[in-house]
């Protein structure tokens, strides 16, 4: 114990929680399209360290409550993660709300009653569920006997052991407290720190908690198992290859071979060489089966099924893939689409079926969709493919494409609700094997369907999944740079592993950018959020294709001006207004430039004159309309809002130059009735844009804000300081003149000289 910290070592060792939490949060920055929600468990781990340090540093009752509740802050996000793997967004949200309600309820009950039984029981139940679900995920996401499974089991076993070691140390610290105190006093510093067993409890539980959080995130996100060494912090990489993993993982298992050069099977990060090569048998049997299929389809399939079984059991990927692709092709060419569906289901459920072979089969059947004789048959094949790909990460991209195909069919049939629900159930932002461009296209299509359906809230939520930085404008590249990048891309394609997604090519995304901001403008217009609409048009303006097209450039510039003057006045709107005015490109839209300038100077604008001068030009666009238009009711609303902004500008100008004014004179300046004048002044006062008080009996409006005693004294103090400064300067000038007069020669001295 020190003068400032209650328990120094117990406080210091909480840094373990914070350090591991920071490492986990920073690791997400290196991963493409990593959702911010995945970092919540690490923030909970950091909260454990901070709250525990606060308690051991202060030894206060309220910090003890924080220390107790911080454990629940860590386990609850992890519990949500393991319970919602592969769940829809609606289910995930419902589980999150339920767990949040339970967490708040338990926390409130614990703080009020200060009991530990329910608190401890809920913590044990959460940890137990997390442990059971983690074991299920390991069995689900890894192959039996695979090196990846041994690695992850090694991590889990090590985490459990070190967590229990910490628990035993904590029990010993409480049981032998007096003995440890006397031993530390006898040994002395610094070695006495080693007997601070509660500090070792913090270190052990910090490592164990980090390992479980990292393993759950790794399994739930479906990341490549070969990333364990790179993304996990020490001692996780060591634990994954230690005695806890069962046996060492050899160097050969870590090699990454290309699928086109070898029939090596890559399963969950492990490389399995085929026990026997059946390629020669396939070269002989497949042509025979294709010939036999012309007379007896079932016999041909049976013949190929025998070869498929032998190749599958021997882990011969090349032959297995060729065989099952031939089976589904024969089924399709027979014209019996029911047979095709049955074979796809049967082949996908074979024991130990190779993942890459299943992927190739699904891709092949997807090519058959355009050849189906009618919509019913096409829907049956799509439903079969969706059944086969459900819950399988290695075909998540194919499932997404099939689902989009089904959504297009539903939309063409006029069932917009079903089309939207089917497509929006996909959470493509979590798909690690899908390219970023394709993810963006999926999300844009989801947003478009929601807008068409009229579900504006869901459309806004989905649009936030797209990071605007993806659309950032890239500098132009020379032909040499483009050629170099093309060679590097081709090299990455050649050297990639068969289970890795295609590398992303650095290409223009202007088409996606324009689609995205078109949707954002639609959403902002629906909410009558003029300032956001203006910002979105400014982002559209920062596009090469728009800048090169003079007509589109003028249209975008005009709409930027329209929506910035339509936006309600505040500091942000005023700043944006002046920044837009400084844009030299406004000279291309002189009418809009003159309108914008009127809003930047403190001069009155008479609405009748504005309507007469700018009305014909403004109403010729699709933004404004002087009359109600059934095709676009918002155009008339925007015209009325423009009148409102002109009047509000005039009120601000009058409030700047007048301290008090007669109501009759004010209504004359604003071209309004007395009731309308009071309404506009009241609105501006409510929004705290101006200060005003209306004296109805005297028919006078005061704009002078009353000052309290502090303001008066501050002004008097400032005036006195200024006055004293002037007096000091005058004294200095007088002294200077006197000194100059003394050193100048007199007339008698001049005569003598």
């Amino acid at each position: 114990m020190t003068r400032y910290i209650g328990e120094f070592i117990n406080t210091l060792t909480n840094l373990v929680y914070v350090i591991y939490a920071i490492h986990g949060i920073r690791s997400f920055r290196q991963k493409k399209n990593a959702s911010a929600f995945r970092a919540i468990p690490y923030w909970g781990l950091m909260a454990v360290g901070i709250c525990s340090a606060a308690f051991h540093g202060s030894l206060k009752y309220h910090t003890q409550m924080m220390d107790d509740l911080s454990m629940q802050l860590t386990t609850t996000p992890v519990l949500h993660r393991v319970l919602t793997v592969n769940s829809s967004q609606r289910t995930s949200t419902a589980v999150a709300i339920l767990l949040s309600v339970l967490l708040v309820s338990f926390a409130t009950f614990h703080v009020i009653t200060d009991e530990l039984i329910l608190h401890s029981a809920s913590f044990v139940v959460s940890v137990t569920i997390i442990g059971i679900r983690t074991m299920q995920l390991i069995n689900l996401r890894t192959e039996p006997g695979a090196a990846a499974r041994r690695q992850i089991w090694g991590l889990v076993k090590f985490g459990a052991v070190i967590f229990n070691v910490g628990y035993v140390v904590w029990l010993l610290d409480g049981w032998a407290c007096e003995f440890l105190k006397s031993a530390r006093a006898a040994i002395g510093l610094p070695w006495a720190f080693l007997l601070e067993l509660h500090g070792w409890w913090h270190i052990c539980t910090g490592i164990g908690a980090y390992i479980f959080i990292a393993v759950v995130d790794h399994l739930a996100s479906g990341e490549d198992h070969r990333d364990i060494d790179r993304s996990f912090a020490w001692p996780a990489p060591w634990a994954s290859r230690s005695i806890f993993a069962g046996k060492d993982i050899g160097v050969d298992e870590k090699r990454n071979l290309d699928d086109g050069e070898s029939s090596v099977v890559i399963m969950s990060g492990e490389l399995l060489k085929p026990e026997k090569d059946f390629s020669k048998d396939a070269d002989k049997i497949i042509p025979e089966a294709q010939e036999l299929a012309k007379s007896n389809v079932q016999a041909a399939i049976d013949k190929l099924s025998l070869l498929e079984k032998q190749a599958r059991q021997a882990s011969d990927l090349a032959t297995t893939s060729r065989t099952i692709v031939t089976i589904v092709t024969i089924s399709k060419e027979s014209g019996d689409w029911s047979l095709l569906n049955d074979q796809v289901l049967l082949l996908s459920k074979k024991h130990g079926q190779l993942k890459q072979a299943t992927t190739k089969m699904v891709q092949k059947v997807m090519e058959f969709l355009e050849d189906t004789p009618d919509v019913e048959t096409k829907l049956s094949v799509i439903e079969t493919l969706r059944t086969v790909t459900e819950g399988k990460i290695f075909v998540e991209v194919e499932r997404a494409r099939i689902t989009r195909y089904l959504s297009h069919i539903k939309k063409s049939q006029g069932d917009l609700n079903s089309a939207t629900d089917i497509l929006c159930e996909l959470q493509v932002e979590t798909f690690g094997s899908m390219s970023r461009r394709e993810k963006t296209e999926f999300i844009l299509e989801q947003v478009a369907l929601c807008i068409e359906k009229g579900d504006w809230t869901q459309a806004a939520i989905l649009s936030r999944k797209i990071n605007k930085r993806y659309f950032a404008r890239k500098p132009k590249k020379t032909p040499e740079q483009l050629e170099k990048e093309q060679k590097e891309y081709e090299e990455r394609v050649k050297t990639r592993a068969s289970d890795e997604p295609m590398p992303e090519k650095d290409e223009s995304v202007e088409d996606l950018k324009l689609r995205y901001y078109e949707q954002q403008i639609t959403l902002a217009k629906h909410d009558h959020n003029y300032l956001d609409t203006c910002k979105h048009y400014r982002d559209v303006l920062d596009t090469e294709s728009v800048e090169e097209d003079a007509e589109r450039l003028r249209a975008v510039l005009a709409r930027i001006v329209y929506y910035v003057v339509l936006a309600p006045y505040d500091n942000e709107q005023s700043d944006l207004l002046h920044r837009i005015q400084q844009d030299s490109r406004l000279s291309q839209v002189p009418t809009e430039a003159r309108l914008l300038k009127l809003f930047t100077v403190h001069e009155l604008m008479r609405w009748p004159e504005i309507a007469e001068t700018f009305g014909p030009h403004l109403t010729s666009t699709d933004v404004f309309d002087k009359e109600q238009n059934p095709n676009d009711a918002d155009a008339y609303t925007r015209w009325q809002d423009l009148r409102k902004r002109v009047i509000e500008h005039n009120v601000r100008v009058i409030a700047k130059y007048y301290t008090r004014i007669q109501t009759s004179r004010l209504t004359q300046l604003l071209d309004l009735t007395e009731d309308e004048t009071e309404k506009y002044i009241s609105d501006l006062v409510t929004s705290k844009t101006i200060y005003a008080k209306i004296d109805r009996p005297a028919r006078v409006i005061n704009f002078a804000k009353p000052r309290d005693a502090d303001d008066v004294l501050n002004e008097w103090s400032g005036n006195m300081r200024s006055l004293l400064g002037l007096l000091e300067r005058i004294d200095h000038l007088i002294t200077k003149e006197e000194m100059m007069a003394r050193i100048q020669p007199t007339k008698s001295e001049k005569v003598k000289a």
Side-chain angles (χ1 to χ4, degrees), residues 734-746 749:
I734 292 173
T735 304
K736 179 181 177 181
E737 291 296 329
E738 290 177 348
M739 294 176 64
M740 293 295 295
R742 291 194 190 102
I743 63 176
Q744 288 181 355
T746 61
E749 291 175 346

Side-chain angles (χ1 to χ4, degrees), residues 467-750:
N467 192 339
K468 293 182 181 180
R469 286 181 293 181
Y470 178 55
F471 302 126
R473 190 168 179 177
K474 300 178 179 63
K476 288 187 177 181
K477 298 178 181 178
T478 62
E480 292 77 12
Q481 290 176 324
L482 294 174
E483 184 179 356
K484 181 180 178 181
E485 289 182 357
Q486 180 64 25
K487 290 181 180 179
E488 292 176 351
Y489 174 76
E490 293 174 355
E491 184 65 24
R492 291 199 305 270
V493 172
K494 290 180 181 179
T495 57
R496 77 179 183 93
S498 60
D499 64 335
E500 292 181 353
M502 286 290 292
E504 293 191 22
K505 192 174 182 179
D506 188 11
E507 56 185 356
S508 174
V509 292
E510 278 194 8
D511 55 331
L512 300 180
K513 177 180 179 179
L514 294 175
R515 283 176 59 192
Y516 171 77
Y517 283 111
E518 181 182 355
Q519 292 176 352
Q520 294 303 301
I521 289 169
T522 303
L523 291 172
K525 285 182 179 179
H526 175 265
D527 296 333
H528 299 288
N529 193 332
Y530 298 130
L531 190 61
D532 282 351
T533 306
C534 173
K535 291 178 181 178
H536 296 323
Y537 271 117
R538 280 171 58 84
D539 289 321
V540 172
L541 185 64
D542 186 25
T543 307
E544 186 175 353
S545 59
V546 174
E547 290 180 346
E548 293 175 352
D549 189 339
E551 186 176 350
R552 292 177 67 187
L553 178 63
R554 286 193 295 270
V556 173
L557 284 171
R559 277 149 184 79
I560 290 174
V561 173
Y562 297 155
Y563 286 103
V564 75
V565 299
L566 283 171
Y569 176 84
D570 57 19
N571 291 335
E572 185 180 8
Q573 186 267 354
S574 178
D575 176 69
L576 185 60
L577 189 77
H578 287 82
R579 282 193 284 122
I580 292 173
Q581 188 193 17
Q582 295 173 0
D583 194 336
S584 60
R585 291 173 292 187
L586 281 180
S587 59
Q588 300 184 37
V589 282
T591 305
E592 284 76 10
R594 286 191 290 115
L595 176 64
L596 182 67
K597 186 177 180 180
L598 293 175
F599 281 89
T600 59
V601 295
H602 295 290
E603 296 179 3
L604 291 178
M605 294 187 289
R606 308 295 291 270
W607 171 247
E609 296 178 3
I610 296 295
E612 181 181 354
T613 305
F614 298 98
H617 176 74
L618 296 179
T619 54
S620 65
T621 66
D622 59 347
V623 180
F624 300 100
D625 200 333
K626 289 185 178 181
E627 299 177 355
Q628 289 282 1
N629 187 348
N631 297 326
D632 187 5
D634 291 336
Y636 178 73
T637 303
R638 287 190 284 268
W639 177 256
Q640 294 299 319
D641 286 339
L642 178 62
R643 176 177 179 267
K644 184 177 180 180
R645 299 296 173 255
V646 170
I647 295 170
E648 290 174 351
H649 171 82
N650 292 338
V651 173
R652 292 196 303 273
V653 171
I654 293 171
K656 179 179 177 64
Y657 292 113
Y658 284 82
T659 56
R660 58 199 304 269
I661 187 174
Q662 292 287 338
T663 304
S664 58
R665 176 57 177 163
L666 182 60
T667 56
Q668 181 183 0
L669 292 174
L670 297 178
D671 297 301
L672 298 173
T673 64
E674 190 170 331
D675 292 339
E676 286 181 317
T677 302
E678 286 192 8
K679 177 182 178 300
Y680 280 106
I681 291 176
S682 300
D683 291 341
L684 291 175
V685 170
T686 303
S687 62
K688 297 184 179 180
T689 303
I690 64 170
Y691 176 87
K693 278 191 174 181
I694 301 175
D695 187 349
R696 282 182 174 172
R699 299 179 60 79
V700 172
I701 299 173
N702 292 304
F703 293 109
K705 187 175 182 180
R707 297 181 299 172
D708 56 14
D710 291 337
D711 293 335
V712 175
L713 286 174
N714 288 335
E715 183 181 0
W716 178 83
S717 175
N719 292 337
M720 290 300 297
R721 189 179 295 108
S722 176
L723 177 61
L724 292 175
L726 292 173
L727 290 174
E728 185 178 358
R729 180 169 177 77
I730 291 171
D731 179 64
H732 174 72
L733 292 174
I734 292 173
T735 304
K736 179 181 177 181
E737 291 296 329
E738 290 177 348
M739 294 176 64
M740 293 295 295
R742 291 194 190 102
I743 63 176
Q744 288 181 355
T746 61
K747 290 184 179 180
S748 59
E749 291 175 346
K750 289 181 179 179

Side-chain angles (χ1 to χ4, degrees), residues 344-401:
V344 170
L345 291 171
L346 180 64
L347 291 170
S348 65
K349 294 179 180 179
K350 294 280 188 179
H351 178 69
Q353 185 61 273
L354 307 180
K355 293 181 179 179
Q356 289 86 347
T358 303
T359 303
K360 291 182 179 180
M361 177 188 69
V362 171
Q363 292 172 348
K364 188 65 177 179
V365 176
M366 288 174 62
E367 297 175 3
F368 299 157
L369 290 175
E370 296 298 333
D371 300 331
T372 51
D374 50 50
V375 176
E376 288 74 15
T377 304
K378 183 176 294 185
L379 290 175
S380 67
V381 177
I382 290 175
E383 192 59 36
T384 300
L385 291 174
R386 280 168 54 83
T387 303
V388 169
T389 57
E390 185 176 7
K392 296 182 176 67
I393 293 180
F394 57 92
V395 284
E396 61 185 4
V397 176
E398 285 73 18
R399 178 176 175 80
R401 292 168 181 167

